[in-house]
Amino acid sequence: MKKKRAIKLVEEKLPKKRFEHSMRVAETAVKMADLFNGDAEKVELAGILHDYAKYDDLALMYQLVTKYELDRELLAYNSEILHGPVAAALMKYEHGIEDVEVLQAIFNHTTGRKQMTLTEKIIFVADYIEPGRNQPGVDEMRTMIFDEKKLDKAIYDISKRTVKFLLENDKCIYPRTIECLNYYNLEK
Ligand code: DGI
Ligand code: FE
Ligand code: FE
């Protein structure tokens, strides 16, 4: 899929704020690809499309989990965990995206996983540090990426913050979130 077509799809489907977030993730991801020798075209496409299913109807998302034979465990979670895998399935089966790296980056953008590809890592981090984000500590994360160039450390820190936030709010933690946290814990 070409960039222009991806932008059109997302612009037509998502509210303006979410569309703008998606474009900032893509721009941040391209900058990171320059820095870490990633594939700028792939990360740009994945960045544009990563939140495509963010506001899809939950019942429809559950139907798609069955239709496209996604992990049945996803049925115990809400759209926050589902929107990545569902967007990847829609892009693969309904919009003809064949690039596995782009699909994986969309699929795993919320939870991360162990042994991420460079494209996945870039999208996972760019989603967290794009210039519109203002969560506490995000500036340190930007420094860690753009000055210190510590990609895996940033992944661990983001996973840790996410897990802390989820525990504090009594949310269920999806196994891949923990898998990512443990894999990128550089102390082990
Ligand atoms: O879609 P975005 O808002 O740009 O960002 P995202 O896809 O990274 O995250 C969406 C939400 O998902 C975020 O508020 C944290 C939540 N989340 C991440 N990991 C888990 C999770 N929620 C649950 N219940 N379990 C997880 O493991
Ligand atoms: Fe998302
Ligand atoms: Fe996002």
Side-chain angles (χ1 to χ4, degrees):
M1 184 184 297
K2 293 270 188 323
K3 175 181 173 180
K4 233 177 145 178
R5 166 122 181 83
I7 292 176
K8 189 162 181 280
L9 274 181
V10 171
E11 192 169 21
E12 282 174 357
K13 177 157 175 173
L14 295 180
K16 188 160 176 281
K17 277 204 155 63
R18 184 59 51 174
F19 168 66
E20 289 169 354
H21 157 73
S22 305
M23 295 308 293
R24 288 192 302 266
V25 171
E27 280 163 32
T28 305
V30 168
K31 280 189 200 155
M32 289 176 64
D34 286 347
L35 205 61
F36 295 102
N37 272 322
D39 186 320
E41 244 176 78
K42 288 182 200 233
V43 300
E44 186 171 49
L45 193 57
I48 294 166
L49 296 169
H50 80 285
D51 275 339
Y52 180 74
K54 181 86 183 174
Y55 303 113
D56 280 9
D57 177 64
L58 195 57
L60 176 75
M61 292 214 250
Y62 288 152
Q63 283 175 25
L64 294 176
V65 168
T66 303
K67 182 173 178 188
Y68 295 126
E69 297 178 338
L70 303 176
D71 176 12
R72 307 227 20 113
E73 194 173 350
L74 288 167
L75 299 174
Y77 289 82
N78 65 15
S79 65
E80 292 194 334
I81 289 296
L82 276 156
H83 73 278
V86 166
L90 291 172
M91 287 305 141
K92 180 174 178 183
Y93 297 112
E94 298 184 16
H95 294 285
I97 292 191
E98 289 175 353
D99 190 312
V100 174
E101 265 185 61
V102 172
L103 293 171
Q104 284 173 325
I106 297 170
F107 193 104
N108 292 310
H109 83 263
T110 303
T111 59
R113 66 166 175 121
K114 65 182 175 192
Q115 297 173 325
M116 285 192 276
T117 65
L118 181 55
T119 299
E120 276 176 299
K121 289 180 182 184
I122 288 175
I123 294 301
F124 181 78
V125 175
D127 194 17
Y128 196 87
I129 64 168
E130 62 92 347
R133 298 284 203 198
N134 57 6
Q135 65 276 40
V138 70
D139 270 335
E140 283 120 76
M141 214 69 84
R142 291 176 180 129
T143 306
M144 196 181 290
I145 291 297
F146 291 109
D147 299 337
E148 297 165 12
K149 303 185 181 63
K150 289 181 176 161
L151 188 53
D152 286 5
K153 171 118 177 42
I155 291 167
Y156 177 65
D157 281 11
I158 292 169
S159 297
K160 196 162 104 179
R161 281 154 190 269
T162 301
V163 168
K164 275 187 181 168
F165 165 83
L166 293 168
L167 286 175
E168 276 159 18
N169 290 279
D170 292 312
K171 302 268 192 199
C172 283
I173 302 177
Y174 189 62
R176 279 204 175 183
T177 303
I178 298 289
E179 177 189 292
C180 182
L181 177 79
N182 285 335
Y183 185 83
Y184 289 98
N185 181 338
L186 308 174
E187 298 298 316
K188 71 175 181 296

